[in-house]
Amino acid sequence: CQQKAAHARRLGAASQIVKTLSTRASSDSRPPIRGCSLSPFIICLKDSVDHSSIVVLTSLFINRIEWDTPKGAEVDLYLRQQWEDSRLAYDVDPREDLNEITLPDSAEIWVPDTFITTGREKEVDESRRRIIVEPTGHVRSSEERVVMITPSTSSSSPFSPTRTLTIRISSYKYPIEDVVYLWANSPPLISPVEVSSHLLSGPLQFEHAVAGDCVGNYTVGTFSCIDVVVTFKSSFWISFGRFFLPSALLVVVSFLHMWLHPSWSVPRSFSAVIPFTIFVLLFLFSSPKSHESCWLLFCLLITFFSLLEFFVVLCCGVKRETRLPTYTEEAGHKAQQVTNAIGDATNTSCTAARTPVDAISRLLFPLVFIVGIILFAFLF
């Protein structure tokens, strides 16, 4: 009962504080600069104060990233900000054990008009924002942002590419004289950028983040600006086993018909047609990355020429002539019924052309494929 009563007192005190703060808060006016009095009868000169700007400590928590979207990478993150607003300071009875209060969604207080300049933000439910106010007037805010950012890709190896996201933060209407952004950096407990656990594993893994300062020069005024470059690296074995190894095996399968006799038309057609068809479908309906699309195009061309080689050999295919032994006139009609049981001799047309085509292809196609892999590794 005592615990319930104490909890009820805390809720009542918090509700009363929220009502009091709602009369002081103003979402349109910036918090007073440090050193200014809240009294309406005292005029505060901005130039007479050493620190005239409101300092906003900022950090990011990246929750989710969808890389392969039509408009770039969709980054779901939480923007965390801290600043001082002396108008929101309040007194609390120590017996109530109330160290902070959470403002409701309907509360209107000043919040930095922070926006991400390197991407296009999507609309998010405003209820997914949490604002906490401490007795000293220290405000902590956390809100969800979904931003479309175009990543840049670079790699020393085509099988382990790296992707970087540049997230630049600035104010929309407050110049640097009014609002200054700084990264919240107090290791090891606080870092400028944090990522969720599932971004530490998977096809693209978080590697490091480099936070810095920048200055945004616009038509009117100079605005405070901070940025961070977040790097994700693909695992070599995941990328190699997911994409490059299956495609290389398909190319090797397309070469198998060159070792088969031309009379085996069905296995030869499967070996030549199926890999080429799969690469056509992948190239048309998948959304490969830049280096993957080049690799798919190379595989598509080499399987096409392998299919072309199959048709060249097929045109010089096998013709069969059946030679029947000499039968008596009485047994002539029986010979027509047992044709399949009678030995036949096979004459092959284009023998002079077919033999060198397959022989040259067995050497040329694997050699071109190996050279292509080497060039692809050096270029990408």
Side-chain angles (χ1 to χ4, degrees):
C1 293
Q2 292 179 353
Q3 291 179 351
K4 291 182 179 180
H7 181 66
R9 286 197 303 270
R10 283 196 297 270
L11 290 179
S15 177
Q16 185 63 35
I17 291 173
V18 170
K19 292 180 181 180
T20 303
L21 296 183
S22 62
T23 61
R24 304 179 188 172
S26 175
S27 59
D28 298 328
S29 61
R30 194 203 67 169
I33 55 181
R34 192 177 305 175
C36 291
S37 173
L38 294 178
S39 174
F41 302 102
I42 298 178
I43 299 176
C44 190
L45 298 178
K46 187 175 180 180
D47 295 336
S48 63
V49 183
D50 295 333
H51 304 284
S52 62
S53 300
I54 299 298
V55 177
V56 179
L57 296 179
T58 309
S59 63
L60 299 176
F61 178 81
I62 302 177
N63 182 43
R64 177 186 55 87
I65 299 179
E66 291 185 9
W67 295 100
D68 301 322
T69 61
K71 297 182 180 180
E74 182 177 300
V75 184
D76 184 359
L77 56 87
Y78 286 91
L79 176 64
R80 298 169 175 172
Q81 302 178 99
Q82 304 178 42
W83 66 94
E84 296 286 343
D85 192 343
S86 57
R87 297 171 300 181
L88 301 180
Y90 57 90
D91 296 326
V92 62
D93 192 340
R95 294 174 299 177
E96 294 175 351
D97 193 21
L98 190 63
N99 298 322
E100 59 186 30
I101 60 171
T102 301
L103 296 182
D105 298 334
S106 58
E108 294 184 359
I109 67 170
W110 182 86
V111 177
D113 59 335
T114 306
F115 78 110
I116 299 175
T117 65
T118 52
R120 182 181 297 273
E121 297 190 36
K122 298 177 63 176
E123 293 186 3
V124 181
D125 188 0
E126 292 184 357
S127 63
R128 306 196 70 173
R129 183 176 70 177
R130 188 165 182 247
I131 298 179
I132 297 175
V133 181
E134 298 178 0
T136 59
H138 185 79
V139 185
R140 304 197 310 269
S141 170
S142 177
E143 58 181 307
E144 183 184 17
R145 299 286 184 95
V146 178
V147 192
M148 307 300 298
I149 302 177
T150 301
S152 59
T153 304
S154 62
S155 177
S156 58
S157 170
F159 306 118
S160 57
T162 59
R163 291 190 179 188
T164 57
L165 297 173
T166 301
I167 303 176
R168 185 174 294 117
I169 295 174
S170 183
S171 175
Y172 184 76
K173 65 179 180 180
Y174 291 102
I176 197 170
E177 295 85 4
D178 294 328
V179 173
V180 172
Y181 289 93
L182 295 176
W183 287 114
N185 190 11
S186 299
L189 299 178
I190 300 177
S191 60
V193 177
E194 297 178 81
V195 298
S196 58
S197 58
H198 72 272
L199 290 178
L200 299 176
S201 60
L204 282 171
Q205 304 173 5
F206 172 77
E207 190 174 45
H208 62 267
V210 179
D213 299 325
C214 56
V215 176
N217 293 321
Y218 301 95
T219 304
V220 180
T222 300
F223 294 77
S224 177
C225 174
I226 56 177
D227 61 359
V228 61
V229 179
V230 189
T231 303
F232 294 84
K233 187 173 184 179
S234 175
S235 173
F236 173 83
W237 294 110
I238 292 178
S239 179
F240 181 80
R242 179 184 62 87
F243 183 78
F244 292 98
L245 183 59
S247 58
L249 291 178
L250 279 176
V251 174
V252 173
V253 169
S254 68
F255 297 161
L256 295 181
H257 69 88
M258 303 172 189
W259 276 265
L260 299 178
H261 193 272
S263 61
W264 295 12
S265 58
V266 175
R268 284 180 66 95
S269 62
F270 284 165
S271 173
V273 175
I274 292 179
F276 175 73
T277 305
I278 293 176
F279 281 120
V280 170
L281 295 177
L282 288 175
F283 194 81
L284 293 178
F285 298 105
S286 64
S287 299
K289 310 173 186 64
S290 58
H291 62 285
E292 292 180 351
S293 60
C294 294
W295 174 258
L296 276 180
L297 182 61
F298 170 70
C299 294
L300 181 64
L301 290 176
I302 197 169
T303 51
F304 170 75
F305 284 109
S306 177
L307 180 64
L308 186 63
E309 193 270 349
F310 163 74
F311 280 108
V312 170
V313 176
L314 185 65
C315 292
C316 301
V318 177
K319 296 182 179 180
R320 296 181 180 273
E321 294 182 1
T322 302
R323 299 177 182 177
L324 299 179
T326 303
Y327 287 93
T328 60
E329 189 174 350
E330 297 177 354
H333 63 284
K334 296 181 179 180
Q336 299 299 325
Q337 301 176 0
V338 294
T339 303
N340 293 333
I342 300 174
D344 59 330
T346 301
N347 289 332
T348 305
S349 61
C350 294
T351 303
R354 174 180 56 80
T355 303
V357 168
D358 272 342
I360 294 174
S361 299
R362 293 170 189 172
L363 178 64
L364 181 62
F365 277 85
L367 182 61
V368 171
F369 185 56
I370 294 174
V371 172
I373 293 177
I374 297 174
L375 292 177
F376 183 77
F378 277 102
L379 293 178
F380 295 94

